[in-house]
Amino acid sequence: MTRPPPVVLLCGGLGLRQRSDGDDLPKPMRLLPDGRPLLLHVVDYYRRFGVREFVLCVGYGADAITRLLVETFAGSSAQTATGAGWLRISGVDLRITLVDDGPYAEKNARLLTARGHLDDKPFLLGYADVLSDLDLNRLIDRHRGTDAALTLVATRVRSRYGELRVDAACRVTEFHEKPTRTALVSAGYFMCSPQLFDVLRPELDFEVDVLPQLTASGRVGAVVHEGLWLPFDTYKDFIDAEDLVAREGFRWLNPA
């Protein structure tokens, strides 16, 4: 059986859409209905697919995230090691490396730092504020069968508002309450080849510059996911997740 690739998790941003005055809790540290932080659910999701090696790019709230992971995973059989800007927790079946570029570093800079903790092999890339019931093996298998620099997961989103059509006489002819949009969006799950690092520059933006550049050169593949997708961008997203758990349980821990 092929060993699953390592995953790099981006969890160092400021999370400004979540924050209000006096609220300085990092988004990955926010609690879900079982009382566990979002980040632990994200880690558990990847572990269900056999992922054992994690590189976490931390920044804002790094101390709180580091403390959580040490308390959760640095048991009697685990060892910790530190270096300039990084800390590693190594256990029997798990290795977590935290690399800290500060709260203001761009994604490309964080990825370039993470490179020093990866072998020269394909790796998974994801965000620490997204959950889904995606079968991760679909992404891995799709990427391994291509020469793409990066393969992403695409999904559809529901509109946050009711959508309508109005005719020339200003009459509403159609109304749909928060419909699912037809356009696909990036779901925040990627499988990357080492050649990705050839186009990363610290001054460039990953989504604005790098992804369009790779797309224009035909080096981006995709897997379409039609199932559950939960991006935790706003406080309302956490409230919606609570409602989902009450109805259906933790679906992301039982991927399709």
Side-chain angles (χ1 to χ4, degrees):
M1 181 177 179
T2 304
R3 182 178 180 179
V7 60
V8 176
L9 290 177
L10 297 168
C11 48
L14 292 171
L16 295 178
R17 282 176 289 184
Q18 274 287 331
R19 298 170 63 195
S20 59
D21 291 342
D23 179 4
D24 60 357
L25 189 67
K27 192 171 13 172
M29 293 293 294
R30 292 186 178 275
L31 302 182
L32 292 189
D34 63 348
R36 300 170 69 236
L38 170 60
L39 177 59
L40 295 186
H41 282 266
V42 173
V43 170
D44 284 350
Y45 165 80
Y46 284 97
R47 294 187 74 186
R48 285 190 64 84
F49 292 96
V51 175
R52 294 293 178 262
E53 185 174 349
F54 294 79
V55 179
L56 271 62
C57 300
V58 297
Y60 178 74
D63 289 345
I65 291 173
T66 300
R67 186 164 55 250
L68 169 71
L69 295 175
V70 169
E71 291 174 352
T72 303
F73 297 110
S76 58
S77 61
Q79 298 179 340
T80 59
T82 59
W86 62 269
L87 179 145
R88 178 171 296 136
I89 305 166
S90 300
V92 175
D93 63 349
L94 182 69
R95 186 171 78 168
I96 299 176
T97 303
L98 297 97
V99 292
D100 187 355
D101 278 306
Y104 302 108
E106 297 292 343
K107 294 184 181 73
N108 286 358
R110 298 186 190 280
L111 289 173
L112 289 168
T113 299
R115 183 182 190 180
H117 300 273
L118 296 168
D119 294 330
D120 191 29
K121 296 178 181 178
F123 62 95
L124 293 160
L125 171 64
Y127 297 109
D129 58 359
V130 175
L131 289 168
S132 78
D133 63 357
L134 167 75
D135 180 351
L136 197 62
N137 290 318
R138 291 182 58 220
L139 173 61
I140 295 171
D141 293 343
R142 166 65 179 167
H143 184 79
R144 283 175 172 165
T146 71
D147 60 356
L150 177 150
T151 302
L152 58 78
V153 174
T155 192
R156 305 177 203 278
V157 297
R158 294 185 66 87
S159 172
R160 291 186 180 273
Y161 308 98
E163 296 185 1
L164 52 85
R165 292 183 181 274
V166 178
D167 65 15
C170 293
R171 291 178 301 218
V172 176
T173 58
E174 293 182 32
F175 185 90
H176 305 281
E177 175 60 10
K178 299 179 180 177
T180 299
R181 295 182 172 178
T182 57
L184 292 166
V185 302
S186 172
Y189 294 90
F190 310 89
M191 179 82 171
C192 309
S193 295
Q195 59 184 284
L196 172 66
F197 292 111
D198 296 339
V199 298
L200 295 185
R201 301 290 183 272
E203 69 275 11
L204 299 180
D205 184 277
F206 184 70
E207 288 89 357
V208 175
D209 301 307
V210 174
L211 288 183
Q213 177 185 342
L214 290 173
T215 299
S217 61
R219 300 164 68 191
V220 177
V223 168
V224 177
H225 174 60
E226 302 285 5
L228 175 71
W229 182 61
L230 294 175
F232 290 85
D233 289 329
T234 67
Y235 178 72
K236 184 178 183 302
D237 292 330
F238 280 83
I239 300 301
D240 291 344
E242 289 183 3
D243 293 340
L244 176 69
V245 169
R247 297 192 314 269
E248 304 179 32
F250 298 97
R251 282 176 51 189
W252 49 87
L253 297 183
N254 297 285

